[in-house]
């Protein structure tokens, strides 16, 4: 981010000083007047809510520090009334970056009888070095506290000030909140007029950049005020005010797209990020390029990895696989949240996060004379990069590589066993920032796979050996996303774990099945489909009821978890991890001297928006039956309006998939 030097400001005015009161608790009677209510709402007014946010206020003051850099201090006050499940709202976590400063933190509980219990200083706990599932260590800080003496219908309140060294890089105003309605939400920005004045008038030409999403918020109310004295024009400020009232809780649906597509919020960006080139120039020059150091060791390693390869694509594949196998660990200290480590360091320690692995892959490829570019990504589960509003919306880095023949490939080195030409589902269909060597960039959409790319073929050969035993020979072939996902799952599994896995696949139908054998194709051969075979002996595949014998020969009646369809209706679109197809072929050999076919289910064909199902039964004669079944999720995203039809199709499909062939014994 640029340093804004205000020469005129240095001459004409002192640096603005900031002071905040040590306690900023809200006067509840004044809050009632502000909200226009005689009494605060009760549970009966919000029967579906565990709590109600009475007021949430964000006051942001922009100022110029002693180094003439733009900084902010944000004062946050939040007042919540608790109705039920009060433990869910008993504790608060406030995150801050390594260069941010949390001050003036205070909190209290107001009990229904009006008595007040304040949180003591020693009950505020700050945790540093906090990691997560994918971050081993981070120098972000987390301050935690718990409200004392909470009970139903009490009010809890807290206030804090946060000074930010790098304002608006990742700032966002979350107007709407999951599960909690809000009576009122305020956002106020105060800026020195001189800061916003054009350079021709001695100002900095600073502008407030923001984008409103998923609501009609309108423009903020603008007014000017005096900061210190009526006579000093240099002390004038301009304020921007937004007020939202009666904000409903955001009620997500299961298996829906990123909340960012629906929830109300405002995203901010620094004044000088007017184009994507501004962002890439800042990031590439300040964080990426200084670490892209090509060494003799990197060059030697690239030659070692690709020894014996003359084909360019083969070199890319071998280099990619080498980096994929390095351990994924993120250590985010100082600039580590943005900047990668030097490739040489990543090579030496044999681990790194997405930035580390990407810069190593890039340096190895470049040393081989292969063109490659770093790519910033926001994975689809975390939100949406809006191409029309340049801002920092990224949580991941990958690489785009280019061949001399004109082809290009997206490479995510954090994913094991993903071949060149494919990309994990979290990267598919998202807008990505592709950066060039000169720090310019373009927004490109990463292609998405199709339902014909992600395929599972299940072939079952069933031999009925007698009335009490049936032999199953099952072959599963995985293509696309399921290919590299299953490879990663199989990798380093023990024999006992594989036996348990085989049993788990058929456990819904055959609890007492025994695994006779299993095998799978080479897990390191990424360019081939993964083929998995296992053999079972099943004691209960024939179910006798009177004179009828039901043939239970399909342990894969309906794969996947469909419990989310139990809701009667939904509000938001449906999103699958990726589109896919499951093809199933069952071949059954029945001893004709023991049984004859009494009844076979009829042909089934079902379709709705984005879904397809077909099942057909063939009597090939001489005791040989063939069953063909196909199920496709043809689109990753399905409109919410198609939910009822989709639910009906799955219910019908369940019925058809569970139908059985009926036999009778030969007399």
């Amino acid at each position: 981010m640029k340093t804004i030097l205000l020469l005129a400001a240095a001459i004409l005015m002192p640096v603005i000083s900031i002071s905040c009161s040590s306690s900023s608790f809200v006067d509840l009677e004044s809050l009632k007047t502000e909200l226009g209510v005689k009494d605060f709402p009760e549970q009966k007014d919000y029967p579906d809510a565990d709590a109600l946010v009475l007021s949430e206020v964000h006051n942001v003051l922009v100022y110029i520090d002693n180094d003439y850099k733009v900084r902010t201090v944000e004062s946050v006050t939040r007042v919540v009334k608790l109705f039920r499940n009060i433990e869910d709202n008993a504790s608060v976590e406030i995150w801050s970056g390594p260069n941010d400063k949390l001050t003036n933190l205070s909190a209290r509980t107001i009990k229904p009888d009006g008595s007040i219990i304040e949180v003591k200083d020693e009950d505020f706990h700050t945790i540093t070095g906090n990691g997560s599932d994918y971050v081993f260590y981070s120098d972000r800080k987390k301050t935690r506290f718990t409200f004392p003496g909470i009970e139903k219908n009490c009010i809890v309140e807290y206030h804090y000030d946060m000074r930010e060294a790098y304002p608006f890089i990742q700032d966002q105003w979350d107007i709407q909140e999951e599960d909690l309605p809000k009576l009122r939400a305020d956002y106020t920005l105060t800026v020195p007029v001189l800061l916003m004045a054009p350079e021709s008038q001695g100002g900095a030409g600073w502008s407030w950049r923001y984008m409103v999403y998923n609501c009609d918020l309108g423009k903020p109310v603008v007014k000017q005020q005096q900061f210190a004295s009526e006579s000093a024009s240099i002390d004038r400020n301009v304020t921007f005010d937004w007020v939202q009232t009666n904000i409903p809780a955001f009620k997500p649906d299961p298996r829906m797209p990123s909340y960012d597509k629906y929830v109300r919020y405002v995203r901010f960006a620094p004044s000088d990020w007017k184009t994507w080139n501004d962002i890439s120039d800042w990031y590439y020059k300040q964080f990426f390029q200084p670490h892209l150091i090509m060494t003799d060791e990197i060059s030697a390693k690239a030659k070692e990895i690709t020894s014996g390869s003359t084909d360019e694509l083969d070199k890319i594949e071998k280099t990619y696989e080498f980096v994929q196998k390095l351990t994924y660990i993120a250590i985010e200290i100082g600039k580590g949240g943005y900047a990668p480590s030097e490739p040489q360091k990543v090579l030496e320690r044999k681990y790194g996060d997405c930035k580390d692995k990407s810069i190593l892959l890039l340096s190895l490829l470049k040393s081989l004379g292969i063109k490659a570019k770093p790519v910033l990504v926001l994975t689809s589960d975390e939100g949406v990069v809006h191409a029309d509003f340049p801002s920092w919306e990224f949580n991941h880095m990958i690489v785009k590589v280019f061949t001399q023949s004109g082809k290009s490939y997206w490479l995510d080195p954090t994913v094991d066993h993903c071949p060149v030409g494919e990309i994990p589902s979290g990267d598919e269909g998202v807008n990505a920032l592709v950066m060039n060597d000169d720090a310019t960039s373009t927004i490109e959409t990463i292609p998405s796979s199709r339902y014909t790319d992600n395929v599972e073929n299940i072939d079952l050969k069933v031999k009925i050996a007698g009335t009490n035993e049936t032999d199953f020979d099952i072959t599963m072939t995985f293509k696309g996303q399921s290919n590299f996902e299953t490879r990663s799952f199989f990798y380093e599994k023990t024999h006992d774990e594989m036996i348990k896995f085989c049993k788990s696949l058929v456990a819904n139908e055959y609890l007492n099945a025994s695994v006779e054998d299993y095998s799978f194709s080479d897990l390191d051969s990424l360019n081939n489909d993964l083929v998995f075979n296992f053999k079972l002996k099943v004691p209960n595949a024939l179910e006798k009821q009177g004179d009828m014998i039901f043939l239970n020969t399909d342990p894969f009646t309906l794969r996947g978890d469909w419990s989310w369809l139990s809701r009667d209706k939904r509000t938001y679109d449906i999103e699958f991890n990726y589109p896919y197809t499951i093809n199933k072929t069952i071949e059954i050999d029945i001893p004709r001297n023991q049984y004859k076919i009494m009844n076979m289910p009829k042909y089934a064909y079902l379709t709705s928006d984005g879904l397809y199902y077909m099942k057909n039964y063939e009597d090939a004669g001489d005791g040989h039956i063939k069953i063909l079944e196909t199920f496709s999720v043809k689109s990753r995203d399905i409109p919410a309006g198609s939910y009822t039809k989709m639910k009906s199709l799955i219910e019908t499909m369940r019925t058809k998939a569970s139908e059985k062939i009926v036999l009778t014994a030969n007399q």
Side-chain angles (χ1 to χ4, degrees), residues 129-168:
N130 191 66
S132 65
D133 291 341
Y134 57 90
V135 178
F136 179 73
Y137 185 91
S138 170
D139 57 2
R140 292 186 69 204
K141 297 183 289 290
K142 178 169 63 176
T143 301
R144 304 182 66 180
F145 63 90
T146 299
F147 293 104
I150 59 170
E151 59 183 273
K152 288 184 178 181
N153 295 314
C154 73
I155 292 174
V156 294
E157 176 187 357
Y158 65 87
H159 170 88
Y160 66 87
D161 295 337
M162 184 73 73
R163 297 171 187 263
E164 290 193 16
Y166 305 106
F168 303 117

Side-chain angles (χ1 to χ4, degrees), residues 551 584-590 592 597 599-604 614-629 661:
L551 202 56
K584 192 190 309 175
T585 301
I586 306 175
E587 297 184 69
I588 310 169
D589 285 320
I590 303 171
R592 292 295 264 185
I597 299 172
N599 183 63
M600 281 204 303
K602 296 181 180 179
Y603 170 78
M614 181 280 298
K615 192 168 188 179
N616 188 38
Y617 297 80
E618 299 176 2
D619 183 354
D622 198 27
H624 189 76
I625 297 173
K626 190 173 185 179
I627 305 170
L628 301 174
E629 186 178 30
I661 297 170

Side-chain angles (χ1 to χ4, degrees), residues 415-647:
V415 182
D416 294 340
H417 305 101
C418 182
V420 172
E422 296 185 23
I423 198 79
S425 59
D427 299 338
E428 288 190 325
V430 303
N431 289 330
L433 190 68
V434 182
M435 293 181 288
N436 304 312
D437 291 341
D438 62 358
T440 61
S441 60
T442 57
I443 285 285
E444 299 181 31
T445 302
I446 299 177
S448 297
S449 58
R450 301 163 297 176
Y451 72 97
T452 53
D453 299 321
N454 308 311
V455 179
E456 288 185 28
N457 291 323
I458 306 173
D459 295 298
L460 295 86
K461 296 188 184 301
V462 184
K463 185 176 181 180
I464 299 174
T467 56
N468 296 319
E469 193 171 75
T470 303
D471 293 325
F472 284 74
D473 189 335
I474 303 172
T475 300
M476 305 177 73
T477 304
F478 302 92
K479 304 172 182 286
Q481 297 282 337
S482 61
N483 182 348
F484 63 81
E485 287 179 357
T486 308
R487 284 178 191 271
S488 296
F489 177 77
F490 281 0
Y491 215 74
E492 296 186 354
K493 283 284 187 292
T494 66
H495 171 76
D496 288 345
E497 289 170 337
M498 287 303 303
I499 294 295
K500 289 179 181 179
F501 172 69
C502 293
K503 287 186 175 183
S504 72
L505 290 175
V506 301
N508 285 340
E509 296 292 334
Y510 311 138
L511 287 176
N512 296 315
S514 61
V515 180
E516 300 294 303
D517 192 18
Y518 71 88
S519 64
F520 45 79
S521 54
D522 182 9
L523 296 180
D524 291 318
S525 182
L526 303 188
N527 290 320
N528 297 318
D529 297 337
L530 176 62
V531 180
F532 172 52
N533 175 265
F534 63 106
K535 296 176 174 59
L536 302 173
K537 281 192 179 296
V538 179
N540 58 340
L542 301 182
E543 300 173 358
K544 189 172 182 179
Q545 296 183 18
D547 294 334
M548 295 184 295
I549 300 168
F550 294 89
L551 202 56
N552 182 20
T553 57
D554 185 2
F556 304 98
T557 50
L558 187 62
R559 303 201 69 197
D561 177 20
W562 298 92
S563 60
W564 54 275
L565 286 167
S566 60
R567 293 192 177 193
D568 293 331
K569 58 183 180 179
R570 68 182 290 135
T571 304
Y572 304 108
D573 294 344
I574 302 157
E575 182 178 86
F576 291 89
N577 292 336
Y578 48 82
Y580 65 90
T581 294
I582 298 176
N583 295 314
K584 192 190 309 175
T585 301
I586 306 175
E587 297 184 69
I588 310 169
D589 285 320
I590 303 171
R592 292 295 264 185
N593 60 335
Q594 291 182 262
Y595 307 101
K596 62 181 178 182
I597 299 172
M598 185 176 180
N599 183 63
M600 281 204 303
K602 296 181 180 179
Y603 170 78
Y605 172 82
L606 305 169
T607 186
S608 73
D609 294 342
L611 298 184
Y612 168 84
Y613 177 74
M614 181 280 298
K615 192 168 188 179
N616 188 38
Y617 297 80
E618 299 176 2
D619 183 354
D622 198 27
H624 189 76
I625 297 173
K626 190 173 185 179
I627 305 170
L628 301 174
E629 186 178 30
T630 296
F631 174 63
S632 293
V633 175
K634 301 176 75 173
S635 174
R636 181 175 185 171
D637 298 298
I638 297 177
S642 300
Y643 178 70
T644 302
K645 289 174 62 178
M646 178 181 179
K647 183 175 180 178

Side-chain angles (χ1 to χ4, degrees), residues 324-394:
Q324 283 177 300
K325 291 178 180 178
L326 301 182
T327 304
Y328 180 90
I329 292 178
I331 298 178
E332 299 180 351
I333 302 174
K335 293 183 178 180
Y338 291 98
S341 303
E342 293 176 8
Q344 182 66 36
K345 290 183 179 179
V346 183
L347 188 62
E348 290 170 355
R349 65 193 185 196
K350 294 182 171 57
Y351 69 77
D353 64 6
C354 62
K355 304 180 299 298
D356 299 335
K357 298 183 87 173
S358 291
I359 199 170
L360 175 60
L361 176 59
L362 191 101
S363 64
L364 290 168
L365 292 170
K366 282 181 173 291
S367 70
L368 294 169
I370 298 172
K371 183 180 179 182
K373 299 179 181 181
V375 180
L376 292 170
V377 172
L378 179 66
T379 52
S380 59
D381 60 320
E382 290 294 329
V384 180
V385 171
H386 299 272
D388 55 349
F389 183 64
S391 58
W392 186 262
E393 305 176 39
F394 308 106

Side-chain angles (χ1 to χ4, degrees), residues 99-267:
N99 296 303
D100 301 333
K101 186 176 181 181
L102 176 66
T103 60
N104 298 335
L105 177 58
S106 55
R108 65 175 180 169
T109 300
I110 304 114
K111 298 173 78 68
D113 63 5
S115 60
I116 295 174
I117 310 174
E118 292 193 22
V119 178
K120 298 177 181 178
D121 290 344
E122 60 264 29
D123 291 330
F124 294 109
H125 306 284
T126 299
I127 302 169
T128 58
N130 191 66
S132 65
D133 291 341
Y134 57 90
V135 178
F136 179 73
Y137 185 91
S138 170
D139 57 2
R140 292 186 69 204
K141 297 183 289 290
K142 178 169 63 176
T143 301
R144 304 182 66 180
F145 63 90
T146 299
F147 293 104
I150 59 170
E151 59 183 273
K152 288 184 178 181
N153 295 314
C154 73
I155 292 174
V156 294
E157 176 187 357
Y158 65 87
H159 170 88
Y160 66 87
D161 295 337
M162 184 73 73
R163 297 171 187 263
E164 290 193 16
Y166 305 106
F168 303 117
I169 287 182
Q170 290 183 292
D171 290 6
Q172 182 169 301
W173 178 34
D174 295 313
I175 302 170
Q176 199 172 23
E177 190 168 330
E178 183 177 352
D179 294 332
L180 289 186
K182 294 180 181 179
L183 269 188
R184 180 176 171 125
D186 295 67
Y187 190 98
T188 300
L189 181 81
T190 301
V191 186
V193 171
L194 185 61
L195 185 62
M196 301 191 71
E199 294 181 10
S200 60
Q201 297 178 17
W206 187 89
S207 61
W208 190 30
R209 297 192 60 250
Y210 64 84
M211 180 71 76
V212 179
Y213 295 100
N214 306 314
C215 64
D216 184 14
L217 188 58
K219 292 185 177 181
V221 175
V222 181
K223 60 181 179 180
Q224 290 188 345
Q225 61 183 10
Q226 297 296 324
F227 187 82
S229 64
E230 292 295 327
S231 60
S233 61
I234 57 174
D235 285 345
R236 284 190 304 120
N237 290 278
V238 60
T239 63
F240 302 85
D241 289 311
W242 270 310
V243 177
Q244 284 275 285
T245 58
N246 299 314
I247 305 162
F250 181 69
K251 298 287 186 180
D253 286 327
R255 199 175 277 277
M256 65 175 287
S258 167
Y259 294 0
D260 278 8
K261 293 184 178 181
Y262 308 97
V263 72
R264 306 178 191 178
Y265 69 100
V266 181
R267 181 179 290 280

